[in-house]
Structures are given as structure tokens and as C-alpha cells.
């Protein structure tokens, strides 16, 4: 469940990869659109390949060099999702982008509790922290958030907890 949310964070970071001027970021951000998750394939016990469809209507090649997402259940760090390989998207392109992730489990007991709660439909105590680095054309971009509630994170992309539940079925 947390792996899927991570990919939305990655997409947010790609949308923020523009110049340092606030208006330029907003203008470019309107030209970058997440269209959806095409597929998720597990790779071993702690890996996943996620293919997403993104539209980059901007004049910049977008690069996500590194990304980490901390998954919290309450105050416990359950694990960290780490982007395995850099991701790029050419300018003025709509494409399927393949991303590879690894989960580093920090607290197996907290992971077990979180999985049980998610299966019961209880998402209230899940939060995400993220740290992303990349480029939007000539401008380097660094983005981070600390313990953002899952529902707030999903709202950023126009999604809901119900959409995640449907996706997990």
C-alpha cells in the first residue's frame, strides 16, 4: 500500500521540477499531468516496478535523480521506499514511465500492524515523509515533506482513500 503512495509522491516531485521562480513553477506545473498507474509488478519480497503514465507539456526534460519515502504508522517508522534508478521524461511528451523501488523495512512489527489496519480499512494513522532530488531543465530541484497524512498526500493528486482501497483489491 505504501509503495503505491510513494509513486504519487514521485509524480508530485516531477511536477515541481521547474525554474526557481514561483510563477514559472506554477506555469510549468500546469503543463505536467499524472494520468494514472498503468501497472505494478512485485519483484521479490521488497521490490516493485511501477509503470505510470505522465504528460509533460513543458519545454523541459524532467529528471528524478533520487527519491526516498518514509512510511509511518503512528510514530513508528515502518520502512523506507527508495527509488532504485533515476527516471527521465522528455519534453512535450506523454509516456509510460517505469520506476523501480526497494522497501527497506525498519520495524517489522509496525509493518504487520499497519497491514492489518489497512486490510480493515483503517488508514488514519498512516503518514509519509519524502525527500526527492531532480532537475527540470537547467534548474535543480529538491523537495521534502515530513509526516504528511496519507489522505492529504492523496488529495494532492485528486485521489481518495477509496481509490486506494479499490486499487488494492
Amino acid at each position: 500500500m505504501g509503495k503505491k503512495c510513494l509513486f504519487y509522491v514521485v509524480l508530485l516531485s516531477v511536477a515541481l521540477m521547474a525554474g526557481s521562480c514561483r510563477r514559472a513553477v506554477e506555469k510549468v506545473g500546469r503543463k505536467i499531468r499524472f494520468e494514472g498507474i498503468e501497472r505494478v509488478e512485485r519483484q521479490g519480497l521488497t521490490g516493485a516496478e511501477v509503470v505510470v503514465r505522465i504528460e509533460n507539456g513543458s519545454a523541459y526534460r524532467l529528471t528524478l535523480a533520487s527519491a526516498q519515502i518514509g512510511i509511518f504508522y503512528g510514530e513508528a517508522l515502518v520502512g523506507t521506499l527508495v527509488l532504485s534508478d533515476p527516471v527521465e521524461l522528455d519534453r512535450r511528451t506523454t509516456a509510460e514511465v517505469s520506476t523501480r523501488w526497494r522497501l527497506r523495512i525498519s520495524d517489522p512489527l509496525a509493518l504487520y500492524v499497519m497491514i492489518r489496519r489497512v486490510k480493515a480499512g483503517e488508514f488514519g494513522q498512516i503518514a509519509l515523509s519524502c525527500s526527492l532530488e531532480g532537475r527540470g531543465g537547467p534548474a535543480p530541484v529538491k523537495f521534502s515533506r515530513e509526516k504528511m497524512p496519507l489522505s492529504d498526500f492523496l488529495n494532492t493528486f485528486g485521489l481518495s482513500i477509496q481509490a486506494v482501497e479499490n486499487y488494492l483489491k
Side-chain angles (χ1 to χ4, degrees):
M1 206 289 309
K3 290 180 185 179
K4 292 172 181 92
C5 295
L6 169 65
F7 307 111
Y8 293 115
V9 172
V10 170
L11 297 175
L12 175 63
S13 68
V14 171
L16 295 174
M17 292 181 192
S20 59
C21 175
R22 185 176 199 171
R23 276 192 224 164
V25 170
E26 291 172 359
K27 185 177 178 181
V28 171
R30 287 190 296 262
K31 294 180 180 181
I32 300 168
R33 190 176 71 188
F34 168 72
E35 294 184 351
I37 297 174
E38 296 295 319
R39 69 181 177 276
V40 177
E41 295 178 11
R42 291 186 63 164
Q43 296 179 337
L45 295 175
T46 60
E49 179 179 9
V50 178
V51 178
V52 295
R53 179 169 280 290
I54 302 174
E55 177 183 349
N56 178 12
S58 75
Y60 301 107
R61 179 181 196 143
L62 304 177
T63 302
L64 181 61
S66 66
Q68 290 190 11
I69 298 178
I71 304 166
F72 291 84
Y73 186 75
E75 293 298 316
L77 175 63
V78 173
T80 304
L81 290 167
V82 179
L83 181 66
S84 298
D85 302 312
V87 179
E88 294 184 346
L89 182 62
D90 289 328
R91 62 191 186 118
R92 295 186 177 95
T93 303
T94 300
E96 290 182 1
V97 179
S98 178
T99 61
R100 292 189 179 155
W101 299 89
R102 291 281 174 223
L103 174 63
R104 295 183 187 149
I105 300 170
S106 301
D107 186 345
L109 197 53
L111 176 63
Y112 174 74
V113 171
M114 185 182 80
I115 290 171
R116 289 193 55 185
R117 298 287 190 225
V118 165
K119 287 181 179 178
E122 299 174 22
F123 295 89
Q125 292 189 31
I126 299 173
L128 304 172
S129 291
C130 65
S131 174
L132 309 154
E133 292 184 20
R135 294 192 75 76
V141 175
K142 291 185 179 184
F143 175 79
S144 65
R145 294 274 192 229
E146 292 297 322
K147 289 191 179 179
M148 183 180 201
L150 179 61
S151 59
D152 292 349
F153 175 74
L154 294 173
N155 287 337
T156 303
F157 299 97
L159 298 171
S160 66
I161 296 290
Q162 185 63 40
V164 173
E165 288 177 324
N166 291 340
Y167 187 74
L168 293 173
K169 290 181 182 178

